[in-house]
mmCIF file of all heavy atoms in Angstrom:
data_model
loop_
_atom_site.group_PDB
_atom_site.id
_atom_site.type_symbol
_atom_site.label_atom_id
_atom_site.label_comp_id
_atom_site.label_asym_id
_atom_site.label_seq_id
_atom_site.Cartn_x
_atom_site.Cartn_y
_atom_site.Cartn_z
ATOM 1 N N CYS A 134 111.139 38.136 101.393
ATOM 2 C CA CYS A 134 110.399 37.842 100.180
ATOM 3 C C CYS A 134 108.950 37.683 100.449
ATOM 4 O O CYS A 134 108.533 36.929 101.405
ATOM 5 C CB CYS A 134 110.988 36.541 99.488
ATOM 6 S SG CYS A 134 110.188 36.235 97.914
ATOM 7 N N GLN A 135 108.104 38.316 99.577
ATOM 8 C CA GLN A 135 106.664 38.392 99.879
ATOM 9 C C GLN A 135 106.028 37.074 99.344
ATOM 10 O O GLN A 135 104.866 36.869 99.478
ATOM 11 C CB GLN A 135 106.091 39.530 99.133
ATOM 12 C CG GLN A 135 106.553 40.837 99.746
ATOM 13 C CD GLN A 135 106.136 41.056 101.219
ATOM 14 O OE1 GLN A 135 104.890 41.178 101.512
ATOM 15 N NE2 GLN A 135 107.006 40.920 102.103
ATOM 16 N N HIS A 136 106.770 36.113 98.746
ATOM 17 C CA HIS A 136 106.239 34.870 98.308
ATOM 18 C C HIS A 136 106.024 33.965 99.432
ATOM 19 O O HIS A 136 104.915 33.761 99.896
ATOM 20 C CB HIS A 136 107.026 34.242 97.150
ATOM 21 C CG HIS A 136 106.572 32.931 96.776
ATOM 22 N ND1 HIS A 136 107.422 31.824 96.618
ATOM 23 C CD2 HIS A 136 105.333 32.459 96.518
ATOM 24 C CE1 HIS A 136 106.712 30.794 96.302
ATOM 25 N NE2 HIS A 136 105.436 31.144 96.227
ATOM 26 N N LEU A 137 107.086 33.457 99.961
ATOM 27 C CA LEU A 137 107.041 32.588 101.144
ATOM 28 C C LEU A 137 108.015 32.954 102.253
ATOM 29 O O LEU A 137 108.348 32.071 103.106
ATOM 30 C CB LEU A 137 107.340 31.095 100.701
ATOM 31 C CG LEU A 137 106.122 30.498 99.888
ATOM 32 C CD1 LEU A 137 106.529 29.086 99.496
ATOM 33 C CD2 LEU A 137 104.809 30.400 100.696
ATOM 34 N N GLY A 138 108.498 34.148 102.211
ATOM 35 C CA GLY A 138 109.264 34.614 103.372
ATOM 36 C C GLY A 138 110.732 34.300 103.443
ATOM 37 O O GLY A 138 111.331 34.505 104.480
ATOM 38 N N CYS A 139 111.352 33.934 102.231
ATOM 39 C CA CYS A 139 112.847 33.800 102.325
ATOM 40 C C CYS A 139 113.499 35.201 102.588
ATOM 41 O O CYS A 139 112.915 36.147 102.194
ATOM 42 C CB CYS A 139 113.406 33.161 100.926
ATOM 43 S SG CYS A 139 113.211 31.381 100.844
ATOM 44 N N LEU A 144 117.348 36.378 99.139
ATOM 45 C CA LEU A 144 116.754 37.520 98.460
ATOM 46 C C LEU A 144 117.827 38.610 98.388
ATOM 47 O O LEU A 144 118.340 39.116 99.481
ATOM 48 C CB LEU A 144 115.513 38.019 99.188
ATOM 49 C CG LEU A 144 114.809 39.229 98.723
ATOM 50 C CD1 LEU A 144 113.920 38.799 97.538
ATOM 51 C CD2 LEU A 144 113.868 39.797 99.725
ATOM 52 N N CYS A 174 114.886 36.582 94.179
ATOM 53 C CA CYS A 174 114.837 35.560 95.274
ATOM 54 C C CYS A 174 115.166 34.184 94.762
ATOM 55 O O CYS A 174 114.468 33.715 93.933
ATOM 56 C CB CYS A 174 113.465 35.528 95.908
ATOM 57 S SG CYS A 174 113.373 34.419 97.308
ATOM 58 N N LYS A 175 116.286 33.645 95.186
ATOM 59 C CA LYS A 175 116.749 32.378 94.746
ATOM 60 C C LYS A 175 115.866 31.230 95.257
ATOM 61 O O LYS A 175 116.107 30.057 94.870
ATOM 62 C CB LYS A 175 118.164 32.167 95.147
ATOM 63 C CG LYS A 175 119.070 33.092 94.440
ATOM 64 C CD LYS A 175 120.562 32.852 94.784
ATOM 65 C CE LYS A 175 121.481 33.743 93.911
ATOM 66 N NZ LYS A 175 122.847 33.746 94.363
ATOM 67 N N CYS A 176 114.940 31.512 96.136
ATOM 68 C CA CYS A 176 114.091 30.319 96.619
ATOM 69 C C CYS A 176 113.207 29.788 95.499
ATOM 70 O O CYS A 176 113.274 28.571 95.151
ATOM 71 C CB CYS A 176 113.267 30.753 97.872
ATOM 72 S SG CYS A 176 114.290 30.904 99.272
ATOM 73 N N HIS A 177 112.363 30.643 94.901
ATOM 74 C CA HIS A 177 111.531 30.224 93.858
ATOM 75 C C HIS A 177 111.480 31.206 92.695
ATOM 76 O O HIS A 177 110.522 31.102 91.974
ATOM 77 C CB HIS A 177 110.089 29.998 94.415
ATOM 78 C CG HIS A 177 110.018 29.284 95.693
ATOM 79 N ND1 HIS A 177 109.936 29.905 96.948
ATOM 80 C CD2 HIS A 177 110.246 27.940 95.981
ATOM 81 C CE1 HIS A 177 109.906 28.985 97.972
ATOM 82 N NE2 HIS A 177 110.176 27.784 97.358
ATOM 83 N N GLY A 178 112.321 32.207 92.732
ATOM 84 C CA GLY A 178 112.452 33.083 91.475
ATOM 85 C C GLY A 178 111.535 34.282 91.519
ATOM 86 O O GLY A 178 111.363 34.899 90.450
ATOM 87 N N SER A 179 111.082 34.781 92.659
ATOM 88 C CA SER A 179 110.405 36.045 92.653
ATOM 89 C C SER A 179 111.307 37.224 92.384
ATOM 90 O O SER A 179 112.528 37.180 92.703
ATOM 91 C CB SER A 179 109.645 36.270 94.098
ATOM 92 O OG SER A 179 108.491 35.485 94.030
ATOM 93 N N TYR A 181 111.856 41.572 91.955
ATOM 94 C CA TYR A 181 111.303 42.903 92.325
ATOM 95 C C TYR A 181 112.295 43.919 91.718
ATOM 96 O O TYR A 181 113.508 43.845 91.853
ATOM 97 C CB TYR A 181 111.394 43.062 93.854
ATOM 98 C CG TYR A 181 110.668 41.970 94.669
ATOM 99 C CD1 TYR A 181 111.341 40.736 94.980
ATOM 100 C CD2 TYR A 181 109.330 41.995 94.836
ATOM 101 C CE1 TYR A 181 110.707 39.764 95.691
ATOM 102 C CE2 TYR A 181 108.663 41.005 95.509
ATOM 103 C CZ TYR A 181 109.402 39.867 95.915
ATOM 104 O OH TYR A 181 108.668 38.784 96.565
ATOM 105 N N GLY A 194 105.835 38.014 89.720
ATOM 106 C CA GLY A 194 106.324 37.093 90.758
ATOM 107 C C GLY A 194 107.615 36.362 90.468
ATOM 108 O O GLY A 194 108.677 36.950 90.946
ATOM 109 N N ALA A 196 106.738 33.295 91.049
ATOM 110 C CA ALA A 196 106.269 32.131 91.895
ATOM 111 C C ALA A 196 104.802 32.275 92.218
ATOM 112 O O ALA A 196 104.370 33.371 92.622
ATOM 113 C CB ALA A 196 107.050 32.071 93.197
HETATM 114 S S1 FES B 1 110.158 32.720 98.962
HETATM 115 FE FE1 FES B 1 111.009 34.079 97.523
HETATM 116 S S2 FES B 1 110.364 33.220 95.624
HETATM 117 FE FE2 FES B 1 109.429 31.934 97.023
#
Side-chain angles (χ1 to χ4, degrees):
C134 182
Q135 297 293 293
H136 174 227
L137 287 176
C139 279
L144 179 75
C174 183
K175 290 182 177 172
C176 287
H177 316 99
S179 280
Y181 308 91

